Amino acid sequence: MSFTSIADGFQKDAAGMTALDHNRAISVAGFHEQSHAVAAAGMRNELNKLCEMVPEGPERAAFTLEMDNFYSLFTRYLSEKAKGTKLNWNAVNSPGPEKIVAYKDLPATPDAEVPNFLSKLAVLKLNGGLGTTMGCVGPKSAIEVREGMTFLDLTVRQIEYLNRQNNVNVPLVLMNSFNTDTETKRIIQKYAGHQIQLLTFNQSRFPRVSKDTLLPVPTSPDAAVSNWYPPGHGDLFEALANSGTLDELLAQGKEYLFVSNVDNLGATVDVNILRHMVASGSEFLMEVTDKTKADIKGGTLIEYEDSIRLLEIAQVPSAHVDDFKSIKKFKIFNTNNLWISLKAIRRLVDNSELNMEIIVNNKTAENGEKVIQLETAVGAAIKHFNGAHGINVPRSRFLPVKSTSDLFLITSDLYRLEHGNLTMNAKRQFTTVPLVKLGDHFKKVSHFLSRFQGPPQILDLDHLTVTGDVTFGHSVVLQGTVIIVANHGERIDIPSGAILNDKVVSGNLRILDH
């Protein structure tokens, strides 16, 4: 090529891109489109093979529907990947005041009207998680958290009391995963004599995808459990409809669904929020609460492209992660307590209008293979519902138990338990809860329980850090800031009745004077 032709090839076009750059961009785009078309065809072919292995009848129909839903999610993932769709950070704005209603401004519901509102309600708990993080086997909801009662026990007590006090029938619905379904159905048999209607359904079971081949990992419908995954709680809408549970609730005259994580002990039915939902005509309410330094990774509500959206940290460009974590810029976060119109769910599912942002979860399989899981979050559906907005609720409505540090707070005198409801002890002078950090020796529930002879008294505690081999006697009082560090090979026993007020304890010792 002559110098002149080379120079001509680098002439800038109107957009400032060279002709060679432009051609290269088209070529690259075409390459990606072709690659993704091949991946989509390959995935469809493999899914068809899986479906054909299931005996004809209802079982195959259900499995095929599940695989079709997965294929829809997979092709959307390929499309977004081809387009290089990214969040435009400059278009991210905090929601206006009309999009976040203060809980304190909600009018109280007259006692006479409460049964009428409750008669239209069903409660759904997300019950797909295992207790592996806390060293337990089986559904997380079966972990004992207070006075010998599990998450599920407390929830049943709450709903049963609500029904009895108001002479209503609020059903309790459990969305299980294939990991928790069998054990949960066995557990709930003990509630047969209780005043509560208990419904269960399974969320979808999707195939893990090989990162290298973009083909499903399982080669048969009955492949090992490790080859499949539950696709996040955003699957709630389709799973609720496909299971027949949505139509069952609508047939009972239910119009609203209160959704929350089973491990959030603060997520109780609040009639004032339900009444506001009915009065405002909103199809979707998300409970948010003020962010603290402990909540910097939690999803938040934003306004984006003229609609309200849920923004998760996984969607944030790496250059703006610190901005996302800032308490100044984003002052609230999603508790995952949601109030949703059942009729709106029916409409959106029927019209295939639910396209929540895809969360790509990279995993390593047991054999070392790199796999991906395509998931969605239920709160991300907020953009599809009419009149959707947030309710800024008190922190008391967000009491998740994700670790034994959380369990430490729940089992202490910081809370009172009545009819399955946990409420802050009135003797606590502060509205905030203490910051608690327990080390690896306390990570598993069994280890945690073995290190306390009785729940500590922490009404005046601000901060607690414990690391190493440490045990506590009964009636221990912790006040102010307490730091206890037992170094490797050392042990610290806190004797019964000890009072630690703004203390730092380290070394290899037992406290005798208190």
Side-chain angles (χ1 to χ4, degrees), residues 18 25 36 83 141 169-170 253 268 326 346 398 410 507:
T18 67
H36 292 140
K83 294 175 184 176
S141 57
N169 177 29
V170 175
T268 58
S326 169
R346 179 79 274 171
F398 184 66
I410 297 300

Side-chain angles (χ1 to χ4, degrees), residues 133-169:
T133 305
M134 297 169 70
C136 296
V137 178
K140 187 176 182 180
S141 57
I143 295 176
E144 289 188 6
V145 289
R146 179 84 185 216
E147 298 177 15
M149 287 183 287
T150 66
F151 289 107
L152 207 46
D153 291 337
L154 293 174
T155 300
V156 168
R157 286 194 69 182
Q158 290 170 17
I159 304 299
E160 186 178 33
Y161 180 73
L162 187 75
N163 286 336
R164 188 166 58 247
Q165 288 298 105
N166 297 281
N167 195 27
V168 293
N169 177 29

Side-chain angles (χ1 to χ4, degrees), residues 372-393:
I372 58 175
Q373 299 179 177
L374 304 178
E375 304 173 7
T376 56
V378 62
I382 190 171
K383 64 183 179 182
H384 295 295
F385 289 83
N386 298 326
H389 57 274
I391 304 286
N392 194 344
V393 299

Side-chain angles (χ1 to χ4, degrees), residues 344-363:
I345 294 176
R346 179 79 274 171
R347 181 189 76 239
L348 292 169
V349 170
D350 287 347
N351 297 335
S352 301
E353 294 178 24
L354 289 164
N355 292 310
M356 288 88 84
E357 287 75 13
I358 297 172
I359 301 167
V360 181
N361 197 346
N362 292 288
K363 297 278 188 177

Side-chain angles (χ1 to χ4, degrees), residues 91-372:
V92 173
N93 296 298
S94 296
E98 75 282 357
K99 295 292 186 182
I100 306 292
V101 175
Y103 176 84
K104 62 181 177 61
D105 293 336
L106 299 183
T109 307
D111 291 343
E113 295 180 15
V114 170
N116 182 49
F117 285 109
L118 291 178
S119 67
K120 300 174 183 178
L121 182 69
V123 173
L124 186 148
K125 294 291 182 179
L126 302 171
N127 187 49
L130 295 170
T132 50
T133 305
M134 297 169 70
C136 296
V137 178
K140 187 176 182 180
S141 57
I143 295 176
E144 289 188 6
V145 289
R146 179 84 185 216
E147 298 177 15
M149 287 183 287
T150 66
F151 289 107
L152 207 46
D153 291 337
L154 293 174
T155 300
V156 168
R157 286 194 69 182
Q158 290 170 17
I159 304 299
E160 186 178 33
Y161 180 73
L162 187 75
N163 286 336
R164 188 166 58 247
Q165 288 298 105
N166 297 281
N167 195 27
V168 293
N169 177 29
V170 175
L172 173 59
V173 186
L174 302 176
M175 184 173 85
N176 303 330
S177 70
F178 61 85
N179 290 318
T180 64
D181 186 57
T182 301
E183 183 66 12
T184 297
K185 285 180 177 176
R186 188 186 68 79
I187 291 171
I188 64 175
Q189 292 178 21
K190 67 179 180 179
Y191 305 124
H194 291 250
Q195 187 180 334
I196 188 169
Q197 180 190 7
L198 245 170
L199 306 173
T200 68
F201 69 96
N202 254 3
Q203 68 177 115
S204 301
R205 185 186 71 153
F206 284 178
R208 280 179 153 183
V209 179
S210 168
K211 196 168 186 178
D212 292 332
T213 66
L214 290 182
L215 294 174
V217 172
T219 54
S220 70
D222 56 358
V225 169
S226 59
N227 293 327
W228 308 84
Y229 72 97
H233 40 57
D235 178 56
L236 180 151
F237 306 104
E238 288 180 339
L240 185 70
N242 294 343
S243 67
T245 308
L246 175 58
D247 288 334
E248 184 176 352
L249 293 174
L250 288 169
Q252 291 181 20
K254 306 305 176 185
E255 297 181 32
Y256 304 98
L257 190 66
F258 174 45
V259 178
S260 64
N261 297 336
V262 74
D263 64 3
N264 181 4
L265 296 176
T268 58
V269 172
D270 190 301
V271 183
N272 294 340
I273 296 177
L274 177 59
R275 183 174 185 246
H276 167 76
M277 184 176 192
V278 176
S280 66
S282 172
E283 294 180 342
F284 192 111
L285 297 179
M286 175 184 289
E287 293 186 36
V288 297
T289 195
D290 293 341
K291 185 188 285 190
T292 69
K293 291 182 179 179
D295 314 306
I296 55 176
K297 293 183 179 180
T300 189
L301 283 181
I302 60 170
E303 284 202 60
Y304 187 80
E305 296 179 346
D306 299 323
S307 70
I308 192 163
R309 303 277 188 96
L310 174 67
L311 178 63
E312 300 277 8
I313 192 168
Q315 302 164 245
V316 178
S318 55
H320 298 285
V321 168
D322 288 341
D323 293 337
F324 176 82
K325 292 180 178 180
S326 169
I327 296 177
K328 293 181 180 178
K329 184 174 178 65
F330 300 107
K331 301 180 185 298
I332 56 173
F333 75 97
N334 170 30
T335 65
N336 219 36
N337 297 348
L338 309 170
W339 302 76
I340 311 173
S341 162
L342 288 166
K343 292 179 180 177
I345 294 176
R346 179 79 274 171
R347 181 189 76 239
L348 292 169
V349 170
D350 287 347
N351 297 335
S352 301
E353 294 178 24
L354 289 164
N355 292 310
M356 288 88 84
E357 287 75 13
I358 297 172
I359 301 167
V360 181
N361 197 346
N362 292 288
K363 297 278 188 177
T364 302
E366 293 174 359
N367 62 359
E369 182 181 10
K370 300 293 183 183
V371 299
I372 58 175

Side-chain angles (χ1 to χ4, degrees), residues 461-475:
L461 180 67
D462 299 320
H463 177 107
L464 174 66
T465 294
V466 183
T467 60
D469 187 1
V470 179
T471 63
F472 293 80
H474 60 79
S475 302

